[in-house]
Amino acid sequence: MYKYPVAVEVEELPVGVPLREYPHAGKRYVAGCMGVSYQLRLKNHSHRRLLAVCTVDGLSVMDGQPGDMQGSGYVIPACGSLVIPGWRLSQNRVAQFVFQDKAQSYAVQTSRGADVGVIGVAAFFEETIRALTWVSSWSWRPYTVSPYPPSSVTGTSDSLTNLCCTTSSPGTEPSTSIYTVTAQQMADAEAAGMLTPTQTLGTGFGPSVDHRVTDTSFRRPSAPAAVLTLYYDTRDNLRARGILVDAPAAESAPRAFPADRQYCAPPAGWPG
């Protein structure tokens, strides 16, 4: 049983080996190498068609604009998968994703570098007509059954967006606390590894390669079934964040048939 209906992997090219993921503080990270091209592999674990709206560094991989969950994306067949190798240029070509210095990333080069270092996928199940209801003699009315429960959030949008953090004492008006940090304190904190390192890796606009797609129709619901985020940076920066990039990979699960072999083992001295 999968936790999410869709999965995303970052595959290093030209071999296509998935980069190892490192869980840390509720997030997932991968370590990229400067100058290496990569592709995204999306897997649909459900038995329904799925629309994947994808962003890299906060920009849509379809049109290069700031990411919007209601933007265009790729339709993945039930139990299927697809590869996204780059920024879409046309229905026939893409510019490859390539790990580059943040200053050379597509986002920074187009003056939109506030969200460099993250890959996002919003997955939508396709809405379908589930049943027909009887209205009157010889007439039918179709209706759509939403697979999503009503929101459990209460209150108006204003009451939710105007929340803020304040400090106060009983019988006094709330007030916001202001703290100042000296340059020496910042330097001491950085030397002690207490500060988050500055993002150094971004995704550039690589060479143009073939990647053909066609238009299709898709009935998109108002809310996604899942939203996935995957963060990336250099190995040194991940290590500075406290992520155990040098730890050995987890051992494989116990084998139910450890003596099982696929083929016959030749006897000793067999000439071949």
Side-chain angles (χ1 to χ4, degrees):
M1 186 69 177
Y2 295 102
K3 183 177 181 180
Y4 298 106
V6 64
V8 56
E9 291 179 339
V10 179
E11 296 181 343
E12 192 175 80
L13 297 176
V15 181
V17 176
L19 294 180
R20 180 181 170 186
E21 295 184 8
Y22 304 95
H24 179 73
K27 299 178 180 179
R28 297 184 302 150
Y29 294 83
V30 294
C33 295
M34 203 78 70
V36 174
S37 298
Y38 72 90
Q39 64 187 14
L40 303 179
R41 183 175 297 276
L42 305 183
K43 299 178 181 180
N44 181 0
H45 295 313
S46 74
H47 294 276
R48 300 166 60 182
R49 282 212 312 172
L50 184 148
L51 171 67
V53 179
C54 305
T55 65
V56 172
D57 294 347
L59 303 180
S60 167
V61 302
M62 303 298 290
D63 58 16
Q65 296 303 306
D68 183 352
M69 288 191 187
Q70 299 304 314
S72 58
Y74 291 94
V75 174
I76 312 175
C79 301
S81 66
L82 64 81
V83 168
I84 305 176
W87 308 98
R88 183 143 298 281
L89 300 171
S90 67
Q91 287 195 312
N92 300 321
R93 310 283 292 180
V94 297
Q96 276 190 310
F97 297 134
V98 55
F99 289 124
Q100 290 184 334
D101 185 87
K102 179 181 177 180
Q104 301 301 317
S105 67
Y106 178 44
V108 172
Q109 291 290 305
T110 55
S111 303
R112 296 168 298 183
D115 299 296
V116 173
V118 63
I119 297 166
V121 178
F124 296 82
F125 282 133
E126 186 170 28
E127 285 189 334
T128 57
I129 296 177
R130 297 293 187 87
L132 297 174
T133 56
W134 180 262
V135 177
S136 62
S137 280
W138 305 105
S139 65
W140 295 85
R141 181 177 64 198
Y143 73 97
T144 302
V145 176
S146 172
Y148 308 100
S151 174
S152 59
V153 178
T154 59
T156 64
S157 58
D158 290 339
S159 66
L160 294 177
T161 56
N162 290 333
L163 296 177
C164 61
C165 294
T166 58
T167 58
S168 62
S169 300
T172 63
E173 292 295 324
S175 62
T176 301
S177 297
I178 300 176
Y179 300 91
T180 58
V181 180
T182 66
Q184 183 59 48
Q185 288 174 321
M186 291 287 287
D188 293 342
E190 185 174 6
M194 297 172 61
L195 297 182
T196 300
T198 303
Q199 179 81 23
T200 59
L201 200 62
T203 297
F205 211 75
S208 174
V209 295
D210 284 331
H211 188 250
R212 301 177 184 275
V213 296
T214 58
D215 292 330
T216 187
S217 59
F218 187 91
R219 295 172 59 90
R220 183 209 304 252
S222 59
V227 178
L228 306 181
T229 53
L230 183 61
Y231 299 86
Y232 70 88
D233 206 344
T234 62
R235 179 174 292 272
D236 288 342
N237 264 16
L238 295 188
R239 187 183 295 110
R241 293 174 187 266
I243 300 173
L244 303 177
V245 295
D246 301 313
E251 296 182 0
S252 59
R255 296 171 296 168
F257 299 95
D260 190 31
R261 294 180 57 90
Q262 185 176 3
Y263 303 108
C264 298
W270 182 60

